């Protein structure tokens, strides 16, 4: 009943519901209203409130007498080190970095790019920006210099904060040369860069531009928390869209605080003093919401884990961290569990660890397949909660609100909509479809607090990408259905975004890279099923007339090009050369049909296909590289 009551309260009085939720946040000036609809269909929340994110995530806990509680535990098997930072220490570090940034002219509204691996300083940098009203944009370390350059030019940062290196199990990631390369490529140049020198690699600093983090912060005057408006952008996080240009999702300050704080208790069932761990990366939205801000706002201890689910050193790594740090709620991507299951299918390594503090496992980032859920239930012996959300929303659209009421779990479903999200399944004409019928998943406007109000410098793109297709709704880009009990099922994307190991990638962006190869006349990239990573990108290359170089060589060059242009995270390792691409009569590439053929699923000949015989060629090409195995 508790969930029904909460939803009932929100539906009858959304304004009252979100004003109540705002009561859990320390405001410098309380907002007079929750929703601001003056510019509908663009909405804002808590517009006229004054607030500071860093105060709510750090200072208020120190003031409440919990300065000695661990705020961050850095557990880094790749550097064989562990470190605990209390709230009081965090306050000191953040205030000094914030002061040093202010001293170099970084002011409210200025952008700061953060390009760092999983070190506590990444969180310190994010919070320091929040402290002085600067807008951060964290860029994932697996992206190449060119991707970083695109982000530099889009958000024109005054400063960039980076580390000298990151550590992947098989190599050191040289952040500094990547950063230097990106700044060379970009048209916009930052005023200065702050470099965290890690002992694993000391980077060469550019005189006059780069400063050493240690020297920069050592004697800096601590900065106070600056009051910003509820609608002030807290951060910009770039995410993949249909084209090569990433979308700069804007996160508004007030709604972000309220929604994350609400979610920590209602969904993740944690509060002050509890240990919360999201095994993701600060470069993704999960890292923003649930490694940095959410747990700290709620007064939890958060774990910054610099390692992998397997190989650092083995498939028991997650169990070690959970037992050693007494994790109560744990959040990871299904891929990570599939990797563990592949190495330790019987879950034998679990026997070495005491997981008695763990109450719930949360999964998100990609579809949670039933095998993985059942395996986790069997071996971890805790409820496994799938929940569904996106970079754009910043917190769960659908979940099982365990902290309010643990609803029955239906395997294959991320459960039910959270308050604020009026989720509907629509047909192509925008009409709601009956329960059990597949359609486009859309959310009736307004979206709840914390979700994106717009895209950075791209309001028209925001409207086009999300609002125009179904007027009055936000288009999620996911397709699925709602069952008779109101449970959601997320089945596929409706666009060309693919999900590789929980990482959201654009096939359009990959096609732009392939098209840049001198021998490629035309190309397509699709996401094919992958047992470990969910999906994996596969390229189709049509070569220029007269190209007679070995195909293997061209494919190898394309793989290298993708690594250079997008980065290792694209995980682009396979491609095949074909004569022609299958298209509709109007010239649209039939990617969906190609995916079905590659995955060995049944498929229908598209009525609009230009030349049906091409599909035989595609099937043969796919078979030659081990796809299209079953009957087609
Ligand atoms: N910095 C630099 N490079 C990175 C990186 C980072 N932060 N993260 C990944 N990469 C690189 C990897 O080293 C790999 O490079 P390689 O081609 O040279 O081997 C490449 O990007 C692909 O990485 P990934 O897709 O992660 O594959 P993997 O084979 O290295 O690891 C898993 C497989 C399953 C262990 C890993 O994908 C994983 O931990 N997945 C969980 C993902 C997750 O938590 N997502 C969170 C989203 S909510
Ligand atoms: P990102 O913005 O990187 O978080 O990716 C968001 C996308 O990942 C969603 O639009 C979905 O396509 C997919 N996704 C995230 N969580 C889930 C889930 N629990 N089940 C199915 N798909 C999911």
């Amino acid at each position: 009943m508790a969930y029904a009551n909460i939803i009932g309260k929100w539906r009858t009085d959304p304004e009252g519901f979100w004003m109540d939720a705002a009561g859990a946040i320390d405001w410098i000036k309380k907002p007079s209203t929750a929703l601001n609809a003056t510019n509908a269909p663009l909405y804002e929340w808590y517009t006229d409130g004054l607030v500071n994110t860093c105060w709510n995530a750090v200072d208020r806990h120190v003031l409440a007498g919990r300065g000695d509680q661990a705020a961050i535990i850095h557990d880094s098997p790749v550097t064989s080190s562990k470190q605990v930072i209390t709230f009081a220490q965090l306050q000191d570090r953040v205030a000094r970095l914030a002061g040093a940034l202010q001293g170099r002219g970084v002011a409210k509204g200025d952008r700061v790019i953060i390009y760092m691996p999983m070190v506590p300083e990444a969180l310190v940098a994010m919070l320091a920006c929040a402290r002085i009203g600067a807008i951060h944009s964290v860029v994932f370390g697996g992206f190449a210099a060119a991707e970083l350059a695109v982000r530099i030019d889009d958000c024109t940062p005054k400063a960039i904060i980076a580390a000298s290196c990151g550590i992947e199990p098989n190599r050191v990631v040289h952040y500094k040369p990547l950063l230097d390369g990106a700044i060379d490529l970009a048209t916009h140049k930052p005023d200065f860069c702050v470099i965290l020198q890690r002992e694993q690699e000391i980077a060469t600093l550019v005189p006059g531009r780069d400063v050493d983090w240690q020297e920069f912060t050592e004697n800096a005057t601590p900065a106070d928390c600056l009051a910003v408006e509820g609608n002030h952008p807290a951060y910009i996080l770039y995410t993949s869209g249909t084209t090569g240009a990433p979308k700069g999702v804007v996160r508004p300050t007030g709604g972000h605080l309220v929604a994350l704080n609400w979610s920590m208790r209602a969904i993740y069932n944690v509060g002050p003093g509890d240990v919360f761990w999201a095994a993701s990366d600060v470069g993704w939205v999960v890292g923003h919401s649930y490694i940095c801000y959410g747990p700290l706002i709620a007064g939890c201890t958060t774990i910054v884990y610099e390692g992998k689910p397997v190989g650092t050193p083995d498939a028991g790594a997650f169990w070690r961290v959970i037992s050693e740090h007494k994790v109560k709620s744990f959040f990871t991507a299904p891929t990570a569990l599939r990797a563990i299951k592949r190495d330790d299918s019987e879950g034998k390594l679990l026997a070495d660890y005491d997981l008695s503090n763990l109450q719930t496992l949360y999964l998100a980032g990609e579809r949670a397949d039933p095998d993985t859920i059942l395996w986790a239930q069997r071996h971890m012996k805790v409820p496994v909660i799938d929940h569904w959300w996106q970079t754009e929303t910043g917190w769960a659209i659908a979940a099982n609100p365990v902290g309010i009421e643990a609803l029955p779990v239906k395997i294959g479903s991320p459960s039910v909509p959270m308050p604020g999200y009026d989720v509907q399944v629509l047909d192509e004409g925008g009409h709601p479809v009956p329960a059990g019928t597949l359609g486009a998943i859309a959310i009736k406007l307004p979206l709840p607090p914390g979700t994106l109000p717009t895209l950075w410098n791209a309001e028209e793109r925001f409207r086009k990408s999300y609002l125009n297709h179904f007027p009055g709704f936000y288009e999620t880009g996911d397709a699925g259905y709602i069952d008779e009990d109101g449970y959601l099922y997320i089945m596929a994307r409706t666009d060309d975004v693919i999900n590789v190991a929980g990482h959201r990638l654009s096939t359009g962006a990959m096609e732009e890279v392939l098209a840049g190869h001198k021998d490629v006349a035309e190309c397509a990239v699709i996401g094919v099923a992958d047992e470990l990573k969910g999906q994996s990108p596969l390229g189709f290359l049509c070569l220029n007339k007269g190209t007679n170089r070995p195909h293997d060589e061209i494919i190898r060059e394309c793989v290298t090009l993708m690594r250079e242009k997008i980065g290792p995270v694209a995980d682009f390792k396979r491609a095949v050369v074909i004569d022609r691409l299958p298209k509709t009569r109007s010239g649209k590439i039939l990617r969906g049909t190609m995916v079905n053929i590659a995955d060995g699923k049944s498929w229908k000949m598209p009525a609009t296909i230009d030349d049906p015989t091409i599909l035989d060629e595609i099937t043969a090409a796919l078979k030659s590289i081990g796809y299209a195995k079953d009957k087609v």
Side-chain angles (χ1 to χ4, degrees):
M1 268 324 276
Y3 164 73
N5 288 342
I6 295 267
I7 290 292
K9 255 193 205 155
W10 160 65
R11 277 197 186 279
T12 47
D13 180 16
E15 180 71 17
F17 182 89
W18 290 117
M19 281 306 262
D20 276 358
I25 292 303
D26 277 6
W27 297 87
I28 296 156
K29 174 178 163 272
K30 280 205 174 359
S32 60
T33 54
L35 183 67
N36 173 357
T38 49
N39 201 19
L42 308 188
Y43 295 90
E44 288 181 358
W45 292 89
Y46 311 114
T47 305
D48 67 355
L50 287 176
V51 71
N52 183 277
T53 297
C54 185
W55 172 271
N56 279 280
V58 184
D59 299 58
R60 68 164 167 166
H61 304 309
V62 178
L63 193 70
R66 285 186 295 104
D68 292 337
Q69 183 201 306
I72 299 174
I73 298 175
H74 182 225
D75 187 306
S76 171
V78 294
T79 59
S80 308
S81 68
K82 286 174 206 165
Q83 186 192 357
V84 178
I85 300 173
T86 65
F87 274 102
Q89 290 167 335
L90 184 60
Q91 184 185 36
D92 173 60
R93 292 186 195 191
V94 169
R96 276 188 296 115
L97 177 61
L101 290 170
Q102 258 178 351
R104 284 291 300 259
V106 176
K108 180 183 169 200
D110 286 339
R111 276 79 57 213
V112 175
I113 280 190
I114 300 173
Y115 186 51
M116 297 182 100
M118 286 296 287
V119 290
E121 286 82 358
L123 278 63
V124 171
M126 293 162 83
L127 292 162
C129 291
R131 197 170 185 87
I132 56 174
I135 303 166
H136 65 66
S137 187
V138 182
V139 179
F140 179 62
F143 283 120
E147 286 286 323
L148 179 56
V150 169
R151 287 155 176 78
I152 293 174
D153 277 336
D154 196 69
C155 77
T156 58
K158 189 160 230 169
I160 300 184
I161 305 179
S164 56
C165 70
I167 289 117
E168 282 294 289
N170 55 353
R171 73 202 143 94
V172 170
V173 184
H174 309 289
Y175 272 67
K176 189 55 183 14
L178 287 167
L179 172 66
D180 292 343
I183 294 176
D184 282 349
L185 282 173
T187 310
H188 172 83
K189 310 291 174 197
D191 287 0
F192 66 102
C193 300
V194 183
I195 308 296
L196 176 77
Q197 296 282 22
R198 304 190 75 190
E199 63 184 48
Q200 290 75 18
E201 182 166 277
I202 304 293
T204 311
L205 302 187
V206 175
R209 188 197 73 188
D210 298 345
V211 291
D212 174 283
W213 171 298
Q214 191 62 31
E215 288 168 20
F216 188 59
T217 56
E218 218 158 36
N219 299 314
T221 311
D224 283 337
C225 293
L226 185 87
V228 302
E229 298 74 21
N231 63 354
H232 181 67
Y235 68 78
I236 304 162
L237 179 58
Y238 289 90
T239 190
S240 302
T242 305
T243 67
K247 300 194 262 198
V249 168
V250 172
R251 186 80 54 221
T253 300
H256 183 228
L257 280 163
V258 173
L260 289 189
N261 188 69
W262 185 88
S263 73
M264 291 309 291
R265 175 51 71 200
I267 301 175
Y268 303 106
N269 198 25
V270 286
D274 288 333
V275 183
F276 182 85
W277 179 26
S280 178
D281 188 286
V282 283
W284 307 117
V285 70
V286 176
H288 282 64
S289 295
Y290 295 113
I291 295 174
C292 183
Y293 291 113
L296 294 177
I297 291 164
C300 299
T301 300
T302 184
I303 295 184
V304 173
Y305 175 69
E306 192 179 19
K308 301 277 171 179
V310 293
T312 57
D314 58 25
F318 277 10
W319 322 138
R320 176 190 64 75
V321 174
I322 292 170
S323 73
E324 203 171 310
H325 306 303
K326 302 193 170 24
V327 173
K328 180 176 171 190
S329 293
F330 174 48
F331 180 158
T332 190
T335 303
L337 291 183
R338 286 195 296 269
I340 295 171
K341 181 170 137 216
R342 193 176 63 171
D343 279 15
D344 180 21
S345 61
E346 296 302 314
K348 290 203 174 101
L349 292 170
L350 275 144
D352 299 343
Y353 302 97
D354 169 14
L355 299 198
S356 56
N357 286 288
L358 184 69
Q359 291 192 354
T360 318
L361 166 69
Y362 295 86
L363 297 177
E366 59 177 320
R367 190 178 148 71
D369 54 291
D371 276 357
T372 302
I373 296 180
L374 292 170
W375 185 89
Q377 280 178 344
R378 191 161 60 242
H379 294 289
M380 294 172 72
K381 301 187 173 54
V382 292
V384 180
I385 305 299
D386 180 15
H387 60 325
W388 167 63
W389 50 296
Q390 322 179 299
T391 304
E392 289 85 344
T393 64
W395 64 288
I397 307 168
N400 195 327
V402 173
I404 299 173
E405 177 187 3
L407 299 173
V409 168
K410 292 197 189 191
I411 289 184
S413 164
S415 300
V416 291
M418 291 297 91
Y421 292 103
D422 181 351
V423 182
Q424 303 198 12
V425 179
L426 306 178
D427 64 18
E428 243 326 288
H431 309 293
V433 298
T437 309
L438 199 68
I441 307 180
I443 303 166
K444 200 159 188 309
L445 295 170
L447 292 175
T451 55
L452 82 172
T454 188
L455 292 174
W456 182 255
N457 274 343
E459 188 181 305
E460 212 24 63
R461 189 173 182 201
F462 172 68
R463 290 175 189 270
K464 198 165 153 246
S465 304
Y466 303 106
L467 306 184
N468 291 356
H469 193 157
F470 300 119
F473 289 86
Y474 163 85
E475 185 184 4
T476 66
D478 284 312
Y481 63 94
I482 301 180
D483 74 6
E484 301 282 352
D485 300 324
Y487 277 59
L488 262 160
Y489 292 78
I490 313 298
M491 306 309 289
R493 289 287 303 188
T494 55
D495 54 16
D496 295 327
V497 163
I498 60 170
N499 197 313
V500 182
H503 305 144
R504 174 169 160 184
L505 300 167
S506 161
T507 54
M510 297 193 209
E511 289 172 4
E512 284 177 28
V513 171
L514 295 179
H517 187 285
K518 64 176 173 28
D519 293 330
V520 173
E522 218 187 354
C523 63
V525 175
I526 59 169
V528 293
D530 183 278
E531 255 185 33
L532 174 66
K533 299 188 179 187
Q535 281 182 304
S536 155
L538 174 67
F540 293 84
L541 312 173
C542 303
L543 304 182
N544 288 320
K545 274 218 167 66
T547 305
N548 50 17
R549 295 170 58 218
H551 291 175
D552 284 2
E553 201 174 301
I554 294 172
I555 290 172
R556 260 200 312 278
E557 287 166 6
C558 285
V559 169
T560 307
L561 196 63
M562 200 69 83
R563 228 180 144 84
E564 276 167 20
K565 296 278 181 201
I566 295 187
V569 66
D571 211 21
F572 184 88
K573 296 195 168 125
R574 275 170 292 272
V576 61
V577 172
I578 50 170
D579 287 338
R580 318 171 279 167
L581 289 168
K583 290 184 186 169
T584 62
R585 281 186 286 276
S586 60
K588 206 170 164 294
I589 299 172
L590 289 161
R591 292 186 181 79
T593 309
M594 291 158 85
V595 172
N596 285 334
I597 296 175
D599 291 348
K601 287 191 185 151
S602 61
W603 54 277
K604 269 203 224 122
M605 181 63 72
T608 53
I609 193 165
D610 184 31
D611 174 2
T613 62
I614 299 184
L615 293 179
D616 294 333
E617 294 168 27
I618 295 288
T619 307
L622 283 166
K623 284 197 165 152
S624 74
I625 54 166
Y627 292 97
K629 275 195 189 133
D630 300 339
K631 63 172 173 49
V632 288

